[in-house]
Amino acid sequence: EAIVLRPGEGEPLFGGRIVLKSALPALTVTESVFPDARPGAAPHVHRHHADAFYLLDGQLAFLVGDEERTLGTGGFVYAPPGVVHGFRSLSPARFLNFHTPDGRFADALRERDRGGPGPFDSVDAAPGCGLPATNAILLDAGEGEALHGSRRVATIKVGSDELSLIELDRDPAFGGPGPHTHDDHTDAFYVLDGTAELLVDGRRVGAEAGTFVAATPGVEHTVPSGPAGARLLDSHAPGVGFADRLRDMSVA
């Protein structure tokens, strides 16, 4: 079934500091709030899934390999399997975290919220070990591969086997693709700014900033912009070469 969540909705954990947006086998998404500067995750590595972050507000310091880099609002980090990474907040911060596939991350969060051990596909690791940090992606706000269309800009943040994530900046009344389904992956949207009118499983949903929608395989959907335009994150998990499809459409 499709997931449709208004701003702030989801499964609250740890007193609401982490809100679980989706807990699908192919895609777990959380929205986290750090009220101040504090440790986040010590250096670790995932063996079987990728870990990605999109910073909605504030500043985070990300360790990738053996180097730490500070990113602000709009920053993006992608750590593929085998790359050591960790993070901490430098200020009040709010961010999205994508685990693709789930790697048992959602269940681990629930168990830890109840005081349990919460094991999942994560191993503590020393900075600098593991696969080369060059396999990871770190982008400041606005960076990425920008594909310009007549009424939208699609900026590819990552296009990997595990995840294709695109930032879409759409003009007012951009129609989007026609209603369609995917049979091999989940297509999820998070509205960053503006408004969009989502069509999901036969329902029309007016979506303001903070709205999250996930169309699982077989669910019909499309996302036209509202009258003021919209900026959205579009994630495809697994990646299924979606970034390459966008490139091909841009050339055409």
Side-chain angles (χ1 to χ4, degrees):
E1 296 181 359
I3 298 170
V4 179
L5 299 174
R6 299 295 185 181
E9 292 183 343
E11 181 181 346
L13 301 169
F14 305 99
R17 186 174 62 81
I18 296 176
V19 177
L20 192 57
K21 297 292 189 179
S22 70
L24 302 168
L27 174 68
T28 288
V29 179
T30 59
E31 183 172 344
S32 298
V33 175
F34 279 28
D36 49 32
R38 62 176 62 192
H44 62 283
V45 65
H46 305 301
R47 292 170 173 163
H48 306 295
H49 77 278
D51 194 0
F53 302 80
Y54 186 94
L55 188 52
L56 298 169
D57 293 299
Q59 281 192 324
L60 295 178
F62 287 96
L63 174 76
V64 176
D66 60 357
E67 294 186 8
E68 190 176 65
R69 178 171 162 184
T70 298
L71 293 178
T73 302
F76 174 76
V77 174
Y78 172 78
V83 173
V84 174
H85 59 287
F87 71 95
R88 59 191 177 94
S89 64
L90 302 177
S91 68
R94 185 167 59 95
F95 59 92
L96 299 174
N97 185 203
F98 303 80
H99 285 255
T100 54
D102 168 70
R104 205 181 173 278
F105 182 66
D107 283 341
L109 285 177
R110 292 172 175 136
E111 291 170 10
R112 291 179 181 182
D113 186 43
R114 298 192 297 267
F120 74 110
D121 172 32
S122 182
V123 179
D124 292 341
C129 69
L131 295 181
T134 51
N135 292 354
I137 297 172
L138 292 93
L139 300 173
D140 285 314
E143 292 186 336
E145 181 184 353
L147 305 175
H148 294 263
S150 60
R151 303 195 69 176
R152 67 101 175 104
V153 179
T155 303
I156 298 171
K157 301 295 186 177
V158 62
S160 71
D161 291 340
E162 297 85 8
L163 176 68
S164 289
L165 191 137
I166 299 95
E167 185 175 310
L168 299 172
D169 194 347
R170 294 173 162 183
D171 288 350
F174 176 82
H180 61 283
T181 64
H182 305 294
D183 60 7
D184 56 356
H185 72 282
T186 292
D187 191 0
F189 302 87
Y190 185 95
V191 181
L192 297 170
D193 295 302
T195 59
E197 185 177 332
L198 308 170
L199 175 64
V200 186
D201 205 14
R203 292 185 292 165
R204 290 195 175 274
V205 180
E208 68 270 41
T211 301
F212 175 82
V213 172
T216 50
V219 171
E220 187 177 68
H221 61 283
T222 190
V223 188
S225 297
R231 193 165 60 90
L232 312 96
L233 284 181
D234 181 15
S235 58
H236 296 254
V240 298
F242 186 78
D244 287 334
R245 295 184 212 173
L246 275 182
R247 294 182 181 105
D248 291 342
M249 287 188 289
S250 180
V251 171

